[in-house]
Amino acid sequence: MAIGRPEGTTVTVPFEAVARGDARFPPSTGPDMTGNPLDPVARVGPGGILDGAFGLLRFRIGRLVGLTAVLFLPVQLVGLAVALASPTVAASSTSDPFGVGALDAASSTGSLWAVALLLLRSLALGLLGAGVGHLVAGWWSGRDAPFGEVFGQMFRRSPAVLVVVVLSAAVKVPLLCLGGVGWLLADASLFVANVVVGAERRGPLAAIGRSFRLTRAVYGTALVVVFGGLVITQVLQVALVAGPILLVASFQPPDGWLLALEQVTSLVLLVVMPLTACIAARAYVELRCRVEGIDLVRWQERRGLG
């Protein structure tokens, strides 16, 4: 005997679906956010951080390269002018994104120009980190900040970034007595500070303190990421800068040709510097997932439990 509801009766369903189970949360606004590498936010480990940095770079590479060009091309022009006036300073001023080699070279020459160029590059990288931090804060909430907004935020936060750069150098420079290892040990605690300035709009002291707190609990992960990022960026620079210069130098061209080639190949900064900033930004997201459980919070929000 089949059991069912009596014929002619109506069944009232007590629940009503308000969202698909596979719908993305939060909904995208503005430009197309298809392929957002931070949707969903998840912890990925040191290898995933480095790989995820390439994902952040690919997602909005045009915008990131544009921001880098605005920041670094003026610095490169200053470097070119100094190089034409003083080849010794040009040789000592490298494009090391972490500043280890550049600082060693600057201290060995004792040149104020070399130190000034290093400070300008560090400030430009810090501003780019703050800009990427602002972008990432929007991406993980489903919003894509346009170029003009990010550009404005970078320069509104420039005083805080300058203080962070100076204070970070004050912490890291004395550790150079231990060599590059001392620099890396300090940088592992400070490398997300400028991202915090952009993502959370904190002041310089609060951003540095926030960086220390985030990295303290997972310092090993932060150290691996800093070292891995240094290796990746240095390999890129050696392959894209040193290779062509050594090849041309083997033909013994005039010195002016080598100087011009060096300045042209230094445009590799347009890729290396945003990648460096993306490594710090993806590490910031990972640290917040591990320390604060932000990935779990987003998981709850996606299911309407927040």
Side-chain angles (χ1 to χ4, degrees), residues 16-23:
E16 180 180 355
V18 295
R20 288 168 49 111
D22 61 349

Side-chain angles (χ1 to χ4, degrees), residues 84 87 252-262:
L84 293 173
Q252 299 181 344
D255 292 339
W257 291 18
L258 285 177
L259 179 59
L261 178 62
E262 180 184 350

Side-chain angles (χ1 to χ4, degrees), residues 144-171:
D144 193 19
F147 181 94
E149 177 183 323
V150 180
F151 182 84
Q153 282 295 325
M154 283 195 313
F155 284 92
R156 275 192 288 273
R157 307 303 301 165
S158 57
V161 170
L162 176 60
V163 175
V164 169
V165 168
V166 172
L167 293 180
S168 298
V171 173

Side-chain angles (χ1 to χ4, degrees), residues 187-260:
D187 198 43
S189 296
L190 296 167
F191 77 116
V192 300
N194 284 312
V195 177
V196 171
V197 170
E200 302 181 14
R201 302 184 184 183
R202 294 179 181 246
L205 296 180
I208 290 175
R210 175 85 160 134
S211 180
F212 270 111
R213 289 191 297 273
L214 287 174
T215 56
R216 180 176 54 193
V218 286
Y219 181 76
T221 297
L223 188 59
V224 170
V225 170
V226 169
F227 180 74
L230 177 61
V231 170
I232 291 172
T233 53
Q234 291 302 307
V235 167
L236 282 174
Q237 289 186 97
V238 169
L240 300 177
V241 177
I245 291 177
L246 291 175
L247 178 62
V248 173
S250 65
F251 295 98
Q252 299 181 344
D255 292 339
W257 291 18
L258 285 177
L259 179 59

Side-chain angles (χ1 to χ4, degrees), residues 8 22 26 29 52 63 69 73 87 94 99 101 113 127 156 174 185 188 204 209 231 241 253 265 275 288 290 293-294:
D22 61 349
T29 60
R63 192 173 308 166
L73 288 183
T94 70
W113 276 114
L127 288 171
R156 275 192 288 273
L185 291 175
V231 170
V241 177
T265 54
L275 176 59
R288 289 200 61 183
R290 289 173 176 264
I294 193 172

Side-chain angles (χ1 to χ4, degrees), residues 33-135:
M33 292 286 285
T34 302
N36 183 358
L38 296 181
D39 184 19
V41 177
R43 59 187 72 189
V44 293
I49 292 172
L50 297 174
D51 183 64
F54 284 95
L56 294 179
L57 180 61
R58 288 193 303 267
F59 182 54
R60 290 292 183 261
I61 187 169
R63 192 173 308 166
L64 293 173
V65 170
L67 291 170
T68 307
V70 169
L71 292 170
F72 280 94
L73 288 183
V75 179
Q76 289 302 106
L77 292 176
V78 173
L80 177 59
V82 173
L84 293 173
S86 175
T88 303
V89 175
S92 68
S93 180
T94 70
S95 56
D96 177 7
F98 288 86
V100 180
L103 189 60
D104 285 341
S107 62
S108 66
T109 60
S111 169
L112 292 178
W113 276 114
V115 175
L117 285 173
L118 172 60
L119 178 60
L120 286 174
R121 286 194 179 112
S122 299
L123 177 59
L125 181 58
L127 288 171
L128 184 60
V132 175
H134 182 75
L135 277 172

